[in-house]
Amino acid sequence: EPLPADELLGYYREAEAITGVPWQYLAAIHFQETRMGRIVGVSSAGAVGPMQFLPSTWAGCCEGDPTVARDAILGAARYLVLRGAPEERER
């Protein structure tokens, strides 16, 4: 089962407050990648955790544990900032 919705929303909002990436984008990524954590395991490409990070990507932008929801959500927001978010969200 996924974490409680209010807990996840807290992580999304925390990441938004730190990075400016809208929480809705982070929730959408989380849903797309693992159905909010319902899918657990390593992808065929080697991605791990609720936001499905490749270990090499994680090492280049994130800290903590990519299999922990809070760390992964904050990591996804930081990664998106490195790619131009929130100003260039579509990119």
Side-chain angles (χ1 to χ4, degrees):
E1 289 298 310
L3 293 174
D6 60 335
E7 184 175 349
L8 290 174
L9 182 58
Y11 298 152
Y12 302 139
R13 289 187 187 263
E14 178 184 3
E16 179 180 28
I18 293 168
T19 65
V21 175
W23 72 264
Q24 297 92 335
Y25 278 82
L26 300 167
I29 292 166
H30 194 188
F31 181 76
Q32 179 65 35
E33 293 296 339
T34 62
R35 299 298 186 253
M36 305 307 218
R38 288 178 180 90
I39 301 169
V40 178
V42 179
S43 76
S44 61
V48 298
M51 301 296 266
Q52 289 291 282
F53 274 96
L54 291 172
S56 59
T57 303
W58 183 264
C61 68
C62 306
E63 52 190 52
D65 184 341
T67 66
V68 173
R70 180 181 178 272
D71 293 348
I73 291 165
L74 289 169
R78 288 185 181 111
Y79 175 76
L80 291 171
V81 167
L82 290 174
R83 305 294 295 171
E87 294 81 14
E88 298 181 29
R89 284 189 295 246
E90 290 75 24
R91 188 177 121 188

